[in-house]
Structures are given as C-alpha cells and as structure tokens.
Amino acid sequence: MSASVIVRRERPVDRDDIRRVHDAAFPTTLESGLLDALRADPGWLPRLSLVALVDGAVVGLLGEPDYYRRFGFVTGHELGVLSPDPSWGAYFQARRLSEDAPVGAFRYAEPFNRLD
C-alpha cells in the first residue's frame, strides 16, 4: 500500500527538514543556502512555498518534466514565458494560475545573481 502525499504551505517549523531534503538531493549546500537567501529577499512569496509530506515528514524533490505535466505544467515557451537559457527546453516549465498571467522573458529573484 502506498502512502498518501499531502501538499501544504511551508511553515517555519519545516525549515530544518526542507534543508535536510535539499542537502540530501544535491551534491553541495548551494541550493539550501539559496533557499535561505530567497526567504530573506523582499520578493519572497511565502504563499507559494509548498512542502510535500508523507506520514507527516517532508519528502524529496522531483525534477522530471513528465511528473509535473500530470499537474498541468507545460513548457514555459508554450505559455509565452521564455527561459533565461533556451537549452533548458522541457525542464523550464510553468502553469498558468490566472488568465492575466505575465508573459515574456523570465527573470530570477536577486539572490540567484549572487550565486558563485
């Protein structure tokens, strides 16, 4: 029997678990440090920061385009959202949340510009 996945908004109590998931998923702590910087940035949108839970525990990250298509995501290009790097192709995905969603060149939040 498979466990159910619950998706909800991130809570401050989740932050240590989120860091552990990121640190386990990536070869360096760059991603978890980036997430800390993004949370401190004025552009942070906490209502869009979600966690997936299985049996009450924060679980891993998924990055395959086919996984996200199940939830209505398509390539950004299909929605008129252009990635910073065209080689990202199918990995740069978006989902329209409203009819008046912005289109054009996508730009990452300022903390991304400080990555080494």
Side-chain angles (χ1 to χ4, degrees), residues 82-90 92:
L82 308 176
S83 72
D85 184 337
S87 71
W88 296 350
F92 186 76

Side-chain angles (χ1 to χ4, degrees), residues 11-115:
R11 299 176 185 158
V13 70
D14 298 323
R15 289 186 180 172
D16 286 343
D17 290 335
I18 293 168
R19 176 174 284 283
R20 278 191 284 280
V21 167
H22 275 87
D23 290 348
F26 298 101
T28 71
T29 59
L30 180 74
E31 285 78 7
S32 56
L34 174 60
L35 184 54
D36 291 340
L38 288 168
R39 283 189 190 110
D41 188 79
W44 177 249
L45 299 172
R47 70 185 179 278
L48 298 180
S49 183
L50 306 175
V51 295
L53 305 167
V54 173
D55 295 331
V58 175
V59 295
L61 307 168
L62 296 162
E64 286 301 314
D66 289 339
Y67 175 82
Y68 290 101
R69 282 188 194 106
R70 299 181 337 183
F71 303 103
F73 285 81
V74 296
T75 64
H77 188 281
E78 291 176 61
L79 297 177
V81 179
L82 308 176
S83 72
D85 184 337
S87 71
W88 296 350
Y91 289 91
F92 186 76
Q93 296 190 355
R95 181 175 176 208
R96 188 177 310 281
L97 298 177
S98 68
E99 289 304 314
D100 61 344
V103 296
F106 180 83
R107 189 182 77 218
Y108 282 97
E110 179 57 33
F112 282 89
N113 296 331
R114 296 191 297 265
L115 295 176

